[in-house]
């Protein structure tokens, strides 16, 4: 499996608080069957100081850790970008961290406000798409606006956004309402990726294997493979190609 959303870099946001915790999260991910993981520290200038130099130093520490332990897992570093007005100039300057490429488009992991979908969010998403970005929306099932009315996602889906739901949501780790919405999105065929969004060793541990098995039991192994392996792998390994190059279709 390939995990496109995690907070395993130590001491950069609300994720891992030490390199020791990072080590345990990586070991758990490997045991879970994860072959590639993307560290996605928050890119939200209003709440976290996003400093690429600090991120790079944390990345180097984690790469050295993986090498010293000979862990069979590939690491990439991107970001979880809050859909707020101040990230549009970053996008215009090409300064947003990328997950990879999808259909030859630079792909970014984005998130709504942590409680609601604020007025103007749709226009911000449109601005990023006009700049050529592919948006993968992180854990929409946890957003209160979505819990209240799932149809609020339809304009984002219509403009081409992809959806990533959390493994923990499917397993009931975030109350019943996000679980219900995650299940509803699966039934509607709206989900493109399942990811761990792992943060720590207490309440936000890696659990992709359990989510894979849960989806396989309810909807068949083909869908579980698509959402946990095929689609995330295509984005994880995606590189910009000539416009006439073949394109791998996702669900």
């Amino acid at each position: 499996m390939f995990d496109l959303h995690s907070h395993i870099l130590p001491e950069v946001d609300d994720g891992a608080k030490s390199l020791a915790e990072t080590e345990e999260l990586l070991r758990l991910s490997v045991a879970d069957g994860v072959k590639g993981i993307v560290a996605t520290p928050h890119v939200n200038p209003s709440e976290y100081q996003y400093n690429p130099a600090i991120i790079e130093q944390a990345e180097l520490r984690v790469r050295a850790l993986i090498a010293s332990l000979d862990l069979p897992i590939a690491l990439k570093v991107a970001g979880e970008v809050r859909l707020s007005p101040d990230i549009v100039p970053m996008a215009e300057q090409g300064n947003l961290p990328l997950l990879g490429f999808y259909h030859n488009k630079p792909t970014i992991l984005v998130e709504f406000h942590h409680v609601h979908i604020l007025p103007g969010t749709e226009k911000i998403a449109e601005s990023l798409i006009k700049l050529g970005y592919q948006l993968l929306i992180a854990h929409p099932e946890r957003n209160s606006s979505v819990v209240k009315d799932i149809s609020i996602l339809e304009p984002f889906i219509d403009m081409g956004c992809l959806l990533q739901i959390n493994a923990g949501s499917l397993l009931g780790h975030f109350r019943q309402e996000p679980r219900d919405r995650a299940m509803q999105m699966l039934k509607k065929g709206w989900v493109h990726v399942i990811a761990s969004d792992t943060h720590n060793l207490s309440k936000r541990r890696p659990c992709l294997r359990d989510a894979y098995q849960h989806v396989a039991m309810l909807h068949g192994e083909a869908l579980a493979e698509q959402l946990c392996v095929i689609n995330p792998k295509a984005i994880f390994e995606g590189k910009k190609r000539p416009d006439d190059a073949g394109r791998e279709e996702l669900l």
Side-chain angles (χ1 to χ4, degrees):
M1 295 182 289
F2 290 80
D3 191 356
L4 298 188
H5 184 177
S6 74
H7 295 266
I8 59 171
L9 292 186
E11 304 172 279
V12 298
D13 60 6
D14 60 342
K17 299 305 180 186
S18 67
L19 193 62
E21 187 168 31
T22 296
E23 178 180 339
E24 289 307 309
L25 291 173
L26 286 168
R27 289 186 184 277
L28 287 170
S29 295
V30 169
D32 229 17
V34 174
K35 299 183 181 301
I37 191 167
V38 185
T40 51
H42 289 286
V43 182
N44 178 9
S46 65
E47 292 186 26
Y48 298 96
Q49 181 183 6
Y50 177 70
N51 187 322
I54 292 175
I55 300 295
E56 183 178 5
Q57 287 302 311
E59 176 185 356
L60 292 173
R61 293 172 67 197
V62 175
R63 290 195 182 281
L65 174 70
I66 291 172
S68 68
L69 298 173
D70 197 24
L71 292 176
I73 191 168
L75 173 70
K76 290 184 68 174
V77 175
E80 182 179 10
V81 179
R82 174 68 60 85
L83 285 172
S84 59
D86 47 10
I87 62 102
V88 175
M90 294 176 65
E92 291 172 339
Q93 297 163 16
N95 290 333
L96 292 181
L98 303 181
L99 288 174
F101 285 82
Y102 170 80
H103 284 190
N104 216 27
K105 294 181 180 179
T107 301
I108 54 176
L109 183 71
V110 300
E111 66 170 343
F112 297 131
H113 182 270
H114 66 280
V115 179
H116 300 291
I117 297 179
L118 301 179
T121 301
E122 192 175 328
K123 290 188 177 298
I124 295 169
E126 288 176 344
S127 296
L128 296 176
I129 289 171
K130 287 179 180 177
L131 288 170
Y133 290 96
Q134 172 66 61
L135 307 187
L136 177 64
I137 301 176
H139 49 61
E141 76 283 356
R142 298 188 59 202
N143 185 276
S144 295
S145 297
V146 176
V147 167
K148 182 178 180 180
D149 180 9
I150 196 172
S151 68
I152 198 170
L153 288 174
E154 290 177 356
F156 296 93
I157 293 169
D158 289 344
M159 71 175 75
C161 296
L162 311 179
L163 302 186
Q164 172 259 302
I165 61 174
N166 280 4
S169 296
L170 285 174
L171 300 171
H173 296 176
F174 302 106
R175 309 186 320 277
Q176 186 65 35
E177 296 90 343
R179 181 182 184 278
D180 290 344
R181 283 295 181 243
M183 296 298 292
Q184 192 174 2
M185 291 176 201
L186 279 176
K187 290 179 181 178
K188 286 178 173 289
W190 287 359
V191 180
H192 289 74
V193 171
I194 298 173
S196 74
D197 191 16
T198 187
H199 278 63
N200 52 52
L201 295 171
S202 53
K203 297 180 180 179
R204 307 286 292 276
R205 297 162 69 91
C207 56
L208 260 185
R209 183 189 297 275
D210 287 345
Y212 180 104
Q213 293 172 345
H214 187 70
V215 173
M217 179 181 65
L218 294 177
H219 299 283
E221 189 153 2
L223 182 60
E225 191 78 6
Q226 193 78 42
L227 303 183
C228 297
V229 182
I230 297 172
N231 291 355
K233 181 182 181 183
I235 295 172
F236 185 92
E237 296 181 347
K239 294 179 173 60
K240 186 171 177 58
R241 296 170 293 184
D243 289 341
D244 61 348
R247 294 176 174 181
E248 182 171 356
E249 294 292 336
L250 303 193
L251 180 70

